[in-house]
Amino acid sequence: MAEAAAKTKPGWGTLARSLKNPKSGFMALFGFAQGLPPALFLGTLYAWLSEAEVDLETMGVFSLVGLAYAFQFLWSPLLDKVDIPGLRRLGKRKQWIAPMQLTVGIALLVMSFLDPGSALGWFSLLAAIGAFASATQDIAINAWRIDVADEVATLDILSTITQMGFRMAALVGGALGLIIAERIGWPQTYLIMGGIMLAIGIASLFAPDADVAKRSAATDAAADAEVAELYNAGEVTPQVRNRALLAVGILWAWAIGTVVVFMVRSMTAMPEDRPDVTLFTATYGPLIVLATVVLPAFIAAWVARQKRNGTNVITAAPGVGAGHKVTFADHLYRALVLPLVEFVGRIGWSLVLILALVLTYRICDSIWGVFAYPFYLGELGYTGDEVAFASKFFGVFAIILGLALGGWIITKFGRMFTLTLGAILAAATNLLYADLAAGGATMQAASDFIGFTKLIAWMAPFGSEGLPRLTFTIFWENLAIGIAGAAYIAWLSSIVAKEYAAVQYALLASLTLLVGTLGRGALGQMIEDRGYYFVFIFTALIGVVAVVLCIMEWIREARGGKDAGVVQPDPVVARGA
């Protein structure tokens, strides 16, 4: 009994056992593979282009590759229900993960042999291919994490590990990439990074895959049998399914077509005729979210209601091979509409609460991020070296520390406690920045009191008198981001169904990303009109809304919503804590 109790006792022991599991090692590798390509395609690449004297308007075209990450949910249904010929034996998720990682690696290697000044067309094409492959592997890796989680390598720990790997990759591809390029050159740097991605792609072949993947990707006959279950008694009639499929299909086709047309226009038009990326995202982003998430959710709710009320449902199942032939529309419905029907049917009206939490939880740091450097360099007058030290080196260390601390808090006190704590800390750190915008007297006094000022003076003798308070503020903000990030990814992973993980997770994650992108224009105008101090107070208030929503979601799960809406139980609640 004592031994069993020790095995289930939350805390460092649970964390240690999870980290020893091979799945945790591959999760760290996959997290690194998720973080490296965005750093190289959307960040470090601009330094190479600047050195090659590529004009700013042309650089703007390269920002289009970011749309692959923002709208990755548009092709996520393919990864749930489509097999790559000859690769399905790798597993449902690995058949997409390994090839995409190898594609990214090859793109980086080929780029290393090109001169961006003279081969800009090939350069942009390779960046687009690499970003698309990177976004696709993200979909598959997020689903893999949900599939393989078990009682040892828990979903919470795997979610924390993937964030750690991601942050380490951002540091390697960002700050470290710049340092390496300064010494050996950009082509050699991208050659090294491409080699790293190829090595990860090969290592991915040996990662475990979930039993559900083997079952669902076995043969076409098995897939037909799964689709045939749509004709069981109690399922909605083919007429209802076809209407839902037609409506959702038209909406998604419009969204995909809009994004493709915009990218083609941007890549082929003359510089003076290129559409504005920011304007497109602000104008069409909400419409795409409406067409691919909001309206399909209402359609899915209508289908779920038909099934629940017993109206327009099949009363006598014909059985497989008894007068029923599986059609292409059946497969398309299962890939595109059924994940939404399952999610809405399982969650019910609580979906409103969940979407509100998704839209607000990370809004503080996702919107504020693009204004960080103008605030540090322009408003506060720090040098580039000082900002690099505080944010890139000390800040990344703080995030990793926060992720580790968040992982331990989850195992000790539970997922929802950590999610709520992360929301409180994220909101509170905006007040620290408000103090910094007002002169930073409180931050300076706190830094002096705990001896932080002397530490920074020793670590960064090149810094100004104000560097300790900047580093002190960034440290606490990034620590909070780490804790909140660990809890948020774990919670987001827990509310989707394993069978439809790729689609459901991609939709929710894209909402998190898009809301930050769409809100930056308004926040920028607010900074111009009111100043940074007011904006930090405002974002802190938004954070308070997220805290309230976390508490409401916590109560919902505690009252029984967990059984209907969460895939994996919270580790502490499951132990009766």
Side-chain angles (χ1 to χ4, degrees), residues 442-502:
T442 304
M443 292 296 94
Q444 186 65 54
S447 177
D448 293 342
F449 179 74
I450 67 171
F452 193 83
T453 301
K454 292 182 179 179
L455 174 65
I456 298 303
W458 173 75
M459 294 180 64
F462 58 83
S464 64
E465 173 270 337
L467 180 58
R469 61 175 172 264
L470 174 67
T471 310
F472 186 77
T473 306
I474 290 177
F475 172 82
W476 289 110
E477 182 209 23
N478 286 10
L479 188 73
I481 288 175
I483 295 173
Y488 181 69
I489 298 300
W491 172 74
L492 209 61
S493 301
S494 73
I495 63 175
V496 303
K498 284 189 176 184
E499 191 175 2
Y500 309 106

Side-chain angles (χ1 to χ4, degrees), residues 45-67:
L45 182 63
Y46 291 98
W48 189 1
L49 295 176
S50 299
E51 190 175 293
E53 298 183 350
V54 176
D55 63 88
L56 292 175
E57 285 193 26
T58 304
M59 283 190 202
V61 176
F62 279 84
S63 66
L64 286 173
V65 302
L67 293 178

Side-chain angles (χ1 to χ4, degrees), residues 5-360:
K7 288 183 178 180
T8 59
K9 185 177 180 180
W12 293 114
T14 302
L15 187 61
R17 286 190 296 274
S18 298
L19 294 177
K20 291 179 182 179
N21 192 289
K23 294 176 183 177
S24 298
F26 280 105
M27 190 73 264
L29 200 65
F30 286 167
F32 190 91
Q34 285 183 289
L36 192 60
L40 296 173
F41 291 130
L42 296 175
T44 310
L45 182 63
Y46 291 98
W48 189 1
L49 295 176
S50 299
E51 190 175 293
E53 298 183 350
V54 176
D55 63 88
L56 292 175
E57 285 193 26
T58 304
M59 283 190 202
V61 176
F62 279 84
S63 66
L64 286 173
V65 302
L67 293 178
Y69 297 97
F71 298 113
Q72 60 182 250
F73 63 89
L74 293 177
W75 62 92
S76 60
L78 295 176
L79 275 68
D80 254 342
K81 296 303 172 187
V82 174
D83 296 316
I84 301 177
L87 296 181
R88 66 177 60 181
R89 68 182 62 183
L90 294 177
K92 182 178 182 180
R93 308 305 180 190
K94 284 166 55 182
Q95 68 172 330
W96 289 97
I97 294 173
M100 293 303 107
Q101 290 172 344
L102 294 174
T103 301
V104 172
I106 292 171
L108 292 171
L109 288 180
V110 177
M111 289 173 72
S112 72
F113 290 99
L114 298 177
D115 176 19
S118 59
L120 194 60
W122 283 105
F123 221 70
S124 61
L125 177 62
L126 287 167
I129 292 174
F132 178 81
S134 171
T136 303
Q137 72 142 359
D138 288 354
I139 300 170
I141 288 174
N142 290 330
W144 180 89
R145 179 180 65 248
I146 295 166
D147 283 351
V148 303
D150 55 33
E151 294 181 356
V152 178
T154 66
L155 187 59
D156 300 313
I157 297 301
L158 293 180
S159 300
T160 302
I161 291 172
T162 189
Q163 283 285 295
M164 286 184 173
F166 188 96
R167 298 294 180 176
M168 286 300 298
L171 180 61
V172 170
L176 186 59
L178 291 171
I179 294 172
I180 296 174
E182 188 70 23
R183 285 154 178 78
I184 64 175
W186 284 111
Q188 293 80 2
T189 301
Y190 270 67
L191 186 68
I192 293 172
M193 299 300 175
I196 292 174
M197 284 301 302
L198 287 178
I200 293 175
I202 294 172
S204 298
L205 298 173
F206 301 95
D209 214 335
D211 292 338
V212 65
K214 298 175 184 177
R215 183 174 65 250
S216 61
T219 61
D220 291 332
D224 286 349
E226 286 185 359
V227 176
E229 293 177 2
L230 297 173
Y231 288 81
N232 289 341
E235 298 290 339
V236 293
T237 62
Q239 291 78 10
V240 172
R241 292 202 305 271
N242 290 337
R243 290 172 191 167
L245 176 61
L246 178 63
V248 174
I250 290 174
L251 291 169
W252 277 63
W254 172 84
I256 294 173
T258 300
V259 173
V260 170
V261 169
F262 174 74
M263 294 190 70
V264 171
R265 283 183 56 205
S266 300
M267 291 291 185
T268 57
M270 297 299 291
E272 61 273 12
D273 297 325
R274 287 172 185 158
D276 184 82
V277 178
T278 304
L279 182 62
F280 171 81
T281 306
T283 304
Y284 284 94
L287 295 178
I288 291 174
V289 171
L290 183 69
T292 55
V293 180
V294 179
L295 293 180
F298 279 106
I299 295 170
W302 172 72
V303 175
R305 184 177 181 182
Q306 299 281 314
K307 183 177 179 180
R308 183 174 61 252
N309 293 341
T311 55
N312 293 318
V313 297
I314 298 172
T315 55
V320 180
H324 165 63
K325 182 179 180 180
V326 173
T327 65
F328 174 75
D330 293 331
H331 284 286
L332 197 59
Y333 173 85
R334 185 170 180 82
L336 186 60
V337 182
L338 200 56
L340 300 174
V341 174
E342 189 281 334
F343 193 66
V344 174
R346 174 166 49 87
I347 299 295
W349 282 107
S350 298
L351 180 63
V352 176
L353 171 60
I354 287 173
L355 290 180
L357 184 53
V358 166
L359 292 172
T360 57

